[in-house]
Amino acid sequence: MDVLNFLADGFATALQWNNILFAFIGVVIGTAVGVLPGIGPMSGVALLIPVTASMTSGQDPASAATSAIILLAGVYYGAMYGGSTTSILLNTPGESSSVVTTLDGYQMAKQGRAGAALSIAAIGSFAAGIFSLVALIALAQPLSDLAIKFGPAEYTSLMLLGLAAVSGLAGKSMTKALIMTVMGLLLATIGMDNVSGVARFTYGFPILYGGLEFLTIAVGLFALGEVFKTIINREYATGEIAKVGRVLPTKQDMKTSAAPIARGSILGFFVGVLPGAGATLASFFSYIMEKKISKNPGKFGKGAIEGVAGPESANNAASGGAMVPLLTLGIPGSGTTAILMGALIMYNVQPGPLLFEDHPDVAWGLIASMFIGNLMLLLLNMPLVKVFAKIIETPPKYLLPIIVAISVFGVYAVQYTTFDLLLLIGCGIAGYFLAKNDYPLAPLVLGLVLGPMIENNMRRALTGSNGDFSVFLTKPLSLTFLVVAALWLIVPILLKMRGKKVVINEEV
């Protein structure tokens, strides 16, 4: 009953007119941040911290902290909603966790089902957001106790499981998927080594010391790769404009999407609780899981609505899950929650075990505002589906320059270097040739994301064990992840070999 009383007090705080206004401003800005490639929730939240300070001046410190964190959190989960829009309509991921949505969302748009894809993304995001908040209230303490048991060895094995599972994103060939995964890992090593300070694969170019920007490579491969494909194949010359079709999902779409939304919400929340895992990994895992359990896995990558519903639910649930270690332990689970933590500390509010005792108005006011913000996002996004979906009716001769402009603006806004613009073009060309030859692009992106995390955690684990690799096998959770990863790679190979033997015997 204490929890319900605290939540009621939180709603009393969140429903004050100024906090409703802050929540609305946050989710609107967050949606825009998600739609524009390059800004991302992390940059959006960081840019708005000084703005919130000026907006809340004159309020008492506790009210100012509550209002500011309500606005900044709105930007965070609003960006998770918005990221799907350009992924579905333009094959341009708004932020990293929306990369997976391009695989089926864009194919749906090309088939005239853009409205259904956008609607399901919004509905899935809302359901996942509400689920993650209920779970946050009920499970915050026990889940934090579990998350803190994850050491570097467990994280390394979890990331390796993620890479092994990437075979589920493979096109026709697991070998090609693994080649692309290794390519992503190799690209992730470029730059200064964080531990030794040695420059790796920089070839004397100072511009490479900071490594390759993830966004530049993702936007280049997916967005510009699609532009080059359209131009080279002269798809723009047909004169046919893709039709939006039905805006709201059909009953069959809702029925097909219900289970992926539920599974994505649960999976995304638990992945989000683990510090460092994040929404990107949650969306990849959700897509892999949906493809593995589907009775018709061949439809994935060709416009399967489950490929939109699952990952979109997972990345939104992960943003709620990431709040668990932040609020209860003072451990930021992602880059964005690290910035939110910095904002709280700036207002003299220390996240951690004492937050709910010392500042219950801030903690519960934030949780209650996220219920209100998710409802605002659903009411805001559903009417706009028709507006967003009209983008796909734009003739290619106008649409292609818009995609190029958004890509260039997004990349340049993050890095401010001409090198990244050249890298963007190079990745676009590479994306065209790789996709043309059935090399899946998603494994490369996942390798690029997980590479630094695997390396850092592996080094921390080996430092603690004095270089003894058995540390990965002696810890039960770590060993479990490694065994599952090995089975994920070996079982499909054995099944394929068995299938070939059966075919040979039948022919004989």
Side-chain angles (χ1 to χ4, degrees):
M1 288 302 292
D2 284 344
V3 170
L4 293 176
N5 289 334
F6 280 128
L7 188 59
D9 292 339
F11 272 106
T13 302
L15 288 169
Q16 293 173 11
W17 72 268
N18 59 321
N19 287 336
I20 291 175
L21 181 63
F22 278 118
F24 181 73
I25 293 169
V27 297
V28 169
I29 293 173
T31 303
V33 161
V35 167
L36 290 171
I39 302 177
M42 198 186 307
S43 304
V45 171
L47 288 169
L48 283 171
I49 288 177
V51 178
T52 57
S54 60
M55 288 174 72
T56 56
S57 60
Q59 292 181 247
D60 68 87
S63 297
T66 306
S67 298
I69 202 67
I70 283 173
L71 189 150
L72 295 173
V75 175
Y76 179 26
Y77 55 84
M80 296 299 177
Y81 269 72
S84 62
T85 305
T86 48
S87 293
I88 291 168
L89 297 179
L90 306 177
N91 203 36
T92 308
E95 30 88 33
S96 59
S97 60
S98 296
V99 167
V100 188
T101 310
T102 62
L103 301 178
D104 282 282
Y106 183 62
Q107 295 301 320
M108 286 183 68
K110 286 170 72 176
Q111 294 163 15
R113 299 171 66 208
L118 289 165
S119 298
I120 283 294
I123 293 165
S125 297
F126 173 74
I130 297 301
F131 170 82
S132 67
L133 286 169
V134 173
L136 168 61
I137 293 164
L139 303 172
Q141 198 57 54
L143 282 175
S144 299
D145 294 340
L146 176 65
I148 207 167
K149 290 178 182 176
F150 267 61
E154 286 83 0
Y155 275 119
T156 304
S157 300
L158 177 64
M159 304 302 168
L160 288 172
L161 170 59
L163 289 179
V166 88
S167 61
L169 294 176
K172 297 172 183 174
S173 167
M174 186 191 290
T175 307
K176 287 182 177 179
L178 293 174
I179 288 170
M180 295 299 282
T181 305
V182 172
M183 185 72 72
L185 291 173
L186 289 173
L187 291 175
T189 61
I190 295 172
M192 295 288 284
D193 179 5
N194 291 332
V195 177
S196 65
V198 174
R200 301 184 300 192
F201 304 110
T202 56
Y203 305 104
F205 293 105
I207 194 78
L208 291 174
Y209 287 174
L212 299 180
E213 176 63 32
F214 164 82
L215 181 93
T216 306
I217 292 174
V219 171
L221 289 174
F222 286 93
L224 283 196
E226 188 65 31
V227 169
F228 290 141
K229 178 190 167 195
T230 304
I231 294 170
I232 292 168
N233 295 343
R234 294 182 176 274
E235 292 176 7
Y236 60 87
T238 60
E240 293 177 11
I241 301 170
K243 296 296 179 187
V244 173
R246 184 187 171 101
V247 172
L248 293 176
T250 61
K251 284 184 180 179
Q252 183 59 42
D253 286 337
M254 292 296 294
K255 187 179 177 182
T256 308
S257 303
I261 287 172
R263 286 190 290 264
S265 300
I266 296 166
L267 176 71
F269 178 77
F270 284 98
V271 172
V273 168
L274 301 172
T280 305
L281 194 59
S283 60
F284 270 99
F285 274 154
S286 174
Y287 189 87
I288 291 162
M289 180 172 71
E290 292 306 323
K291 189 172 179 181
K292 284 288 178 186
I293 65 177
S294 174
K295 292 178 181 176
N296 182 17
K299 67 182 177 180
F300 282 80
K302 297 175 183 176
I305 200 161
E306 302 98 310
V308 175
E312 278 301 310
S313 303
N315 71 37
N316 277 272
S319 65
M323 290 289 182
V324 173
L326 173 69
L327 297 178
T328 59
L329 294 173
I331 299 172
S334 64
T336 313
T337 49
I339 295 168
L340 288 173
M341 181 177 175
L344 282 168
I345 293 169
M346 187 178 84
Y347 285 99
N348 294 317
V349 176
Q350 179 62 53
L354 299 177
L355 174 67
F356 287 84
E357 291 180 27
D358 295 346
H359 303 282
D361 49 341
V362 177
W364 290 104
L366 169 63
I367 290 170
S369 77
M370 290 173 76
F371 277 103
I372 297 165
N374 272 284
L375 184 60
M376 284 179 178
L377 278 166
L378 185 67
L379 296 175
L380 190 72
N381 277 273
M382 287 305 285
L384 290 176
V385 162
K386 204 163 190 174
V387 178
F388 288 143
K390 285 290 178 186
I391 294 170
I392 205 69
E393 290 190 349
T394 309
K397 63 180 179 181
Y398 301 122
L399 191 59
L400 295 182
I402 291 170
I403 296 173
V404 173
I406 290 174
S407 302
V408 169
F409 169 77
V411 167
Y412 194 74
V414 174
Q415 292 296 92
Y416 300 108
T417 63
T418 51
F419 168 76
D420 272 81
L421 297 181
L422 294 172
L423 180 63
L424 178 75
I425 295 166
C427 287
I429 296 167
Y432 165 71
F433 283 108
L434 288 168
K436 185 181 177 183
N437 292 286
D438 288 325
Y439 282 87
L441 302 177
L444 185 148
V445 173
L446 186 62
L448 192 65
V449 171
L450 294 187
M453 295 159 71
I454 291 172
E455 185 180 11
N456 291 337
N457 282 296
M458 186 172 75
R459 284 183 159 185
R460 285 171 56 209
L462 292 174
T463 301
S465 67
N466 292 320
D468 185 2
F469 278 88
S470 66
V471 67
F472 298 106
L473 302 176
T474 52
K475 293 185 179 289
L477 271 173
S478 174
L479 179 61
T480 303
F481 289 142
L482 288 175
V483 169
V484 174
L487 290 173
W488 209 302
L489 291 174
I490 294 166
V491 170
I493 295 169
L494 293 175
L495 289 173
K496 197 171 183 180
M497 289 170 64
R498 187 181 169 191
K500 283 181 180 177
K501 285 179 182 176
V502 169
V503 171
I504 290 166
N505 289 334
E506 284 177 355
E507 287 176 356
V508 171

